[in-house]
Amino acid sequence: MAGGFLLEIRRGTQSALLIIRYEAGLPSSPVDVTVAADCLEVRSGGSCEAAALPAEVRLAPSSCRGLRRVPGDGLHLRMRLRRPPPSADLGFTLRESLKPQKNYIFYCQTCGDIIVKDRKFLRVLPLPSGNWSALVEEWCCHPDPFARSTLHPQHDDCFLGDTFFLLSSGNESHVPESSMCCSESGHYASQSGSNLKSKENTRVICKRCKTMLGETVSSDTIKYYVTEVIIRPSEGRFSITPRSQFVQSMIAQCLVELSSAKSTFRFTIKGDNGKIYILIWLLNSDTLLVESLGSPSSHSVFTLFGDNFIPSSGPVETWNAVKVLYQPCIKSRNKDLADAWENDIGVHPLKFPSETCLELLLILGLSTASLPPSLRCMNSFQRKKGKQREGEGRYFSTVKHFSGKTWKKQVSTTANQAR
């Protein structure tokens, strides 16, 4: 197919939307579309192009309906599946990956430098939500017994938050010189419990590439963000994951895990400077995307991730994806809406380094631009939030690194594809 196709499958409803893409409008001759259980075929004039579907995707041809031409997209066709595709393998989240009594190495995700070497944890414990102390008043009929308490890890503990993990820095043999902390004023200090003179909540950066990895929350506790560090078993192999794929993967996992655990679907993406960068509304996490790029001349039309994200292992690729609506909040955009969401108890805040928030915003924008025009906005989001201007509701699909039955696959170096 000259422009390729995009097949968006919903596992929950076993339905699919097929978009046969044309770069410069439909050809003048009649177009015949043939849908078989395991392949698609398009005939026009004397040409015939076909694409085989992955083994896990089988269509029900008799259910095809609603064939129509959408300007700027091509042909749209809805159908059902003959059988449900395999469920999305959520693999292992960070909470499930880190196990007590095992040795791990922490790498800088950007450059691969070792940050923490051969650390064995005796306890790996989840932290309560960030606003847990505010809820204590609802639980206790007497003054807050935890008012002066802090949840800091002891030696050989690892505490897991929504977007970060806390480690004790007391044992310097686990923190090599490659990890340095940098205060906001730019002064460096080694992460020694006795020599740490920078103020609390200073930035922890990688000495080699100067990327922010986390913060020092006390003289003996370090917070590392999940988007900045790759964790591997000491005996495992390591290679760097492309940055954009890693950011998409980790944030998608955060969204899916939190929406399931807390029944919340709205999120604010906040930087370490306290500013809100993005508002995100999770639509669904059961999407399976099948994409054919078509001829090389069509790669600039609707490739799902732009040139930097085009997979190269075959003509048809399959991805697990999440779909979200989003609103940028930089340069005072959507300030009233951001303020309303920040004060809404049903909205969950997610904190990342400010640079990562900007990276995510760029990824969202590239993903939106790569989609067919008819899928880039959802007016229902605009109607629900009446203060938004026309055209500001966004739709986004992101790759998730959901794979594997082993820990190694969960930290695979490429975007995991549904097999």
Side-chain angles (χ1 to χ4, degrees), residues 111-129:
C111 70
D113 200 19
I114 294 179
I115 305 303
V116 179
K117 186 175 183 180
D118 289 334
R119 177 71 72 94
K120 178 186 288 187
F121 300 112
L122 299 181
R123 299 189 304 172
V124 179
L125 302 173
L127 288 168
S129 59

Side-chain angles (χ1 to χ4, degrees), residues 166 310 342:
L166 298 180
I310 295 176
E342 190 170 23

